[in-house]
Amino acid sequence: MQRQLSLLGHVLKSNGSRFPRPNQGFLPPLRQLPRNLSTDGGTESKEPSFDPFLQSPTKGLIYGRLTGIGKNTLKTDVIHFFEGCGLTMQDIKVDYNRTYASFGMILQFSSWTVFDTATRLITRKGRLYRLEKVDRGQWDLLKFYDGKVVLLQGVPRNALPEDIERFLSGCNFDASSIQIIVRPGFPDPSRFALVHFPSQIEAMNAFRVKNRSFCLNNPILMRVLQ
């Protein structure tokens, strides 16, 4: 028994260095860099993305309603007035009322910068024009006549499309496009006719040749819609 106790003490003494002392803890592992908690598993943090809707728009088409124009104001007059803004005939739509009298235009600008330039031109030139921003929906609602549609005013109440064709005989127009429009009026309703032509030249030619001519003994006033 004494020999066994002696052997046990020898073993504990020789292996004592393998066990930690009561007041001695294990060395902590090397400190690791904090991991990014993003779901993509990346190790580098990403800068927060900038929301483009929080900044002022600087690109894209801008639409403005121009009022204060006269009944005879042409698109070319507006283009000349806003010289330097890059407007073309296709950037302008005329806003007509129910009797096809123009009371404004919708302009399409290439950017906010150009729109601001246009507003400064109005202030500098001292015109009675007024330009206010509108959304694209108002632009889309307007028809684009492009100088190829002629308005006939004073159409007799008993006139038929065939009578309009005879009135425009000798002109190159689309007979299938003739549209007779009736508007309430006093003492009698007003009657108009819209006729489409293949080009601006053909429309202007019909205006020069047929304006103030007679249809069923009624004088017809003609106007080219822009």
Side-chain angles (χ1 to χ4, degrees):
M1 175 63 70
Q2 186 176 2
R3 184 178 181 182
Q4 293 176 347
L5 292 176
S6 177
L7 291 174
L8 179 59
H10 179 72
V11 171
L12 293 175
K13 183 178 180 180
S14 61
N15 295 335
S17 60
R18 300 181 184 179
F19 299 93
R21 296 178 182 178
N23 59 349
Q24 181 181 3
F26 291 101
L27 292 177
L30 292 178
R31 184 178 181 182
Q32 297 180 354
L33 294 177
R35 293 179 177 269
N36 188 1
L37 298 181
S38 62
T39 56
D40 59 4
T43 58
E44 296 183 359
S45 60
K46 296 182 179 180
E47 295 294 333
S49 59
F50 186 76
D51 188 350
F53 293 101
L54 298 180
Q55 60 179 335
S56 299
T58 57
K59 297 181 179 180
L61 298 176
I62 303 298
Y63 299 90
R65 175 180 291 276
L66 182 68
T67 55
I69 65 173
K71 64 179 182 178
N72 296 320
T73 302
L74 303 175
K75 288 185 178 182
T76 51
D77 298 329
V78 174
I79 292 174
H80 179 73
F81 180 85
F82 291 109
E83 185 178 4
C85 294
L87 291 175
T88 67
M89 300 288 280
Q90 286 69 39
D91 293 320
I92 304 174
K93 286 185 178 182
V94 181
D95 196 357
Y96 295 103
N97 62 15
R98 288 175 55 83
T99 59
Y100 293 94
S102 60
F103 63 95
M105 295 182 178
I106 303 294
L107 311 183
Q108 177 179 258
F109 297 94
S110 59
S111 68
W112 268 104
T113 302
V114 179
F115 179 84
D116 290 340
T117 300
T119 57
R120 288 195 295 270
L121 282 173
I122 294 176
T123 302
R124 189 180 67 186
K125 294 184 178 182
R127 290 290 184 93
L128 296 179
Y129 292 157
R130 179 182 177 185
L131 183 64
E132 57 181 356
K133 183 183 177 302
V134 296
D135 56 40
R136 173 160 187 161
Q138 297 194 36
W139 167 273
D140 293 336
L141 286 175
L142 298 184
K143 293 183 179 180
F144 192 62
Y145 297 104
D146 196 26
K148 299 179 182 180
V149 179
V150 175
L151 173 71
L152 280 62
Q153 300 172 278
V155 175
R157 61 181 179 179
N158 58 334
L160 300 175
E162 292 80 4
D163 298 313
I164 303 299
E165 291 185 46
R166 282 191 289 270
F167 171 78
L168 294 173
S169 62
C171 300
N172 184 16
F173 63 97
D174 182 5
S176 64
S177 71
I178 296 177
Q179 181 183 5
I180 297 179
I181 302 169
V182 180
R183 294 285 186 256
F186 182 83
D188 298 316
S190 301
R191 286 170 60 89
F192 308 90
L194 295 179
V195 184
H196 293 252
F197 291 78
S199 67
Q200 296 177 355
I201 294 177
E202 297 288 354
M204 286 301 301
N205 179 65
F207 170 79
R208 288 193 296 265
V209 174
K210 298 294 183 177
N211 187 36
R212 297 184 182 275
S213 297
F214 287 84
C215 176
L216 299 181
N217 297 323
N218 273 33
I220 301 297
L221 297 179
M222 301 175 64
R223 182 154 50 91
V224 178
L225 300 183
Q226 302 183 70

